[in-house]
Amino acid sequence: MTYRTVTPRSLAAAGVLALSLAAFATLCVARHIPMADTLVYRAEGAAVVGGTDLYGFTVTRWQLPATYPPFAAILFVPTTWLPVDALKVVFVIGNVALLALFVRLSWRFAGLPAGPVPLLVAVAAGLWLEPVFQTVLFGQINLALACLVLWDLSRPEHALGKGFALGVAAGIKLTPAVFIVYLLMTGRVRAGLTALASLTATVLLGVLVLPQASDEFWTRRVFETSRVGKAWIIDNQSLQGLLARVLHTPEPGAVWTAAAAVTAAGGLWMARTAVVRAGSERWGVLVTALTALLVSPISWSHHWVWCVPLLAVLIAERRFRTAAAVGVVWTARSFWAVPHEGELDLRLAWWQQPVASPYALCALGLLAFAGWRTGTGTGMARAGTGPALPTPRAESVRARVQG
């Protein structure tokens, strides 16, 4: 039996994490955080239990409705078992634990050594990345979904049930379904079909338990993107939000449709090329995630928790200056500094636009970088970091895609 020795460095790292958590808890108490999304989830669970209209209610002073598929509402039933205050505490603690898991998964995904000191420091710092911070503050489920997807995609190619967790994540919230397309495009047909089957199972379960709500969601609500929120407000860091603010119109219409189509096609092509030509599933997954967030009609700032594995990969590839710049972008909260009350989001001057849409612009820049790297055939990882896929796995993926 071996025992790990507690070193001064590990104690210092634990102290940094404790200080970060204490500062966050103090801020939460001082701001009386409403955790509005947690209250929506609880209301969805209550609608399932009470047999009331799942898509007919609004809660909180922001009048928020249910926007997820019926399957998600079924999973939210346990949120009705606790008083509201206790539920908020559970969500805060749960999201901090999920952040620690997400950091650990990101570290493994990037191929970084998983010592306790860097992991503790990474969790302490990651808590203050704006998407993570807002996820905890709102009581959101972004970290849970990202953990499901990243864990599943990081598993060996022939792992039992690979794709199942991805399909479940897509059944809770549709955006992760783009990774199913990624798996199929890169030749992982079995995993892709497994994910598609589990997604279908979530839909069928929703139909079985909530037939009326399922009919309403899949025939009407799924197409009502305005139900999620106004696309042009500053919180929306998707391509549609960027274009709406740049064009000073709440409905960018055909311009956004064309831009989203080009971005989706180009992004998925680059993800495929990253795997086929460079053997880098790291960048294949990251490019797919960035593409999904860009083309989604609404990508609230807290949806961009994929900045965590992005930073891990950049650090693993020793791109420290790029990692520092990306870290600043996702920590600075610059879009909150521009006028955004009422419809001021649509009246921003040209020089305010980069400040108002940092995530979308950074993501577009990273897609261009990925395209350049794969287009030049230089690979995605620098020497000394090791291949992103073990060689037999990379060759297997290439053979399936090219064959």
Side-chain angles (χ1 to χ4, degrees):
M1 181 180 295
T2 59
Y3 298 89
R4 288 186 177 181
T5 304
V6 178
T7 65
R9 289 183 63 197
S10 61
L11 285 174
V16 169
L17 177 58
L19 285 173
S20 180
L21 291 172
F24 184 85
T26 301
L27 186 60
C28 288
V29 173
R31 292 184 58 180
H32 304 287
I33 57 169
M35 297 187 69
D37 290 312
T38 298
L39 301 181
V40 176
Y41 303 150
R42 192 173 192 272
E44 291 185 41
V48 175
V49 173
T52 57
D53 186 357
L54 178 58
Y55 299 106
F57 69 79
T58 58
V59 292
T60 77
R61 62 188 176 91
W62 296 282
Q63 299 296 300
L64 300 174
T67 59
Y68 293 168
F71 174 70
I74 297 170
L75 297 183
F76 293 146
V77 167
T79 63
T80 64
W81 301 344
L82 294 174
V84 171
D85 289 341
L87 182 63
K88 288 182 178 180
V89 172
V90 168
F91 260 73
V92 169
I93 295 173
N95 267 323
V96 172
L98 285 168
L99 171 61
L101 175 60
F102 196 38
V103 168
R104 178 67 183 86
L105 290 172
S106 299
W107 235 243
R108 186 179 68 182
F109 173 71
L112 288 167
V117 173
L119 287 175
L120 288 171
V121 173
V123 173
L127 189 60
W128 298 94
L129 291 166
E130 193 271 347
V132 175
F133 184 88
Q134 295 293 88
T135 289
V136 181
L137 212 61
F138 291 151
Q140 257 283 346
I141 59 171
N142 303 304
L143 287 167
L145 296 177
C147 283
L148 280 173
V149 173
L150 189 59
W151 172 78
D152 207 355
L153 293 176
S154 300
R155 299 170 69 204
E157 287 304 314
H158 298 289
L160 180 65
K162 182 179 174 70
F164 179 82
L166 168 58
V168 170
I172 297 171
K173 187 175 183 178
L174 298 179
T175 307
V178 72
F179 288 101
I180 300 177
V181 180
Y182 164 73
L183 286 175
L184 295 174
M185 287 184 64
T186 52
R188 274 72 66 85
V189 176
R190 188 180 70 170
L193 292 180
T194 300
L196 188 59
S198 63
L199 169 58
T200 303
T202 68
V203 175
L204 294 177
L205 179 61
V207 171
L208 180 66
V209 178
L210 300 167
Q212 189 171 0
S214 295
D215 177 68
E216 180 179 356
F217 180 81
W218 295 108
T219 61
R220 290 176 51 205
R221 303 301 185 182
V222 70
F223 305 108
E224 296 176 355
T225 56
S226 60
R227 181 179 177 83
V228 182
K230 297 180 177 64
W232 46 266
I233 64 176
I234 210 75
D235 312 52
N236 183 18
Q237 290 292 303
S238 73
L239 191 60
Q240 182 174 213
L242 165 66
L243 291 173
R245 291 186 290 271
V246 168
L247 299 175
H248 306 292
T249 175
E251 297 289 343
V255 175
W256 169 69
T257 302
V262 171
T263 303
L268 288 171
W269 175 83
M270 283 187 282
R272 179 184 183 276
T273 305
V275 174
V276 176
R277 180 176 297 182
S280 175
E281 189 160 15
R282 293 174 187 167
W283 278 100
V285 170
L286 289 176
V287 166
T288 303
L290 294 174
T291 300
L293 289 164
L294 280 170
V295 302
S296 175
I298 303 287
S299 290
W300 302 129
S301 66
H302 54 78
H303 292 163
W304 291 79
V305 292
W306 282 90
C307 62
V308 175
L310 170 62
L311 285 167
V313 168
L314 290 172
I315 291 170
E317 294 182 358
R318 301 184 182 278
R319 304 181 191 280
F320 299 123
R321 285 181 294 184
T322 305
V326 168
V328 169
V329 167
W330 266 281
T331 306
R333 299 158 169 79
S334 64
F335 47 91
W336 298 116
V338 300
H340 55 273
E341 297 295 331
E343 294 190 2
L344 292 178
D345 315 58
L346 292 174
R347 304 172 190 170
L348 299 175
W350 66 267
W351 57 270
Q352 293 174 310
Q353 297 294 341
V355 179
S357 304
Y359 299 174
L361 291 173
C362 187
L364 288 170
L366 287 165
L367 290 185
F369 165 77
W372 173 77
R373 293 288 290 176
T374 55
T376 57
T378 55
M380 301 301 296
R382 287 187 174 180
T385 63
L389 291 171
T391 301
R393 181 180 174 190
E395 292 303 322
S396 175
V397 170
R398 288 195 192 99
R400 283 198 295 274
V401 175
Q402 293 171 340

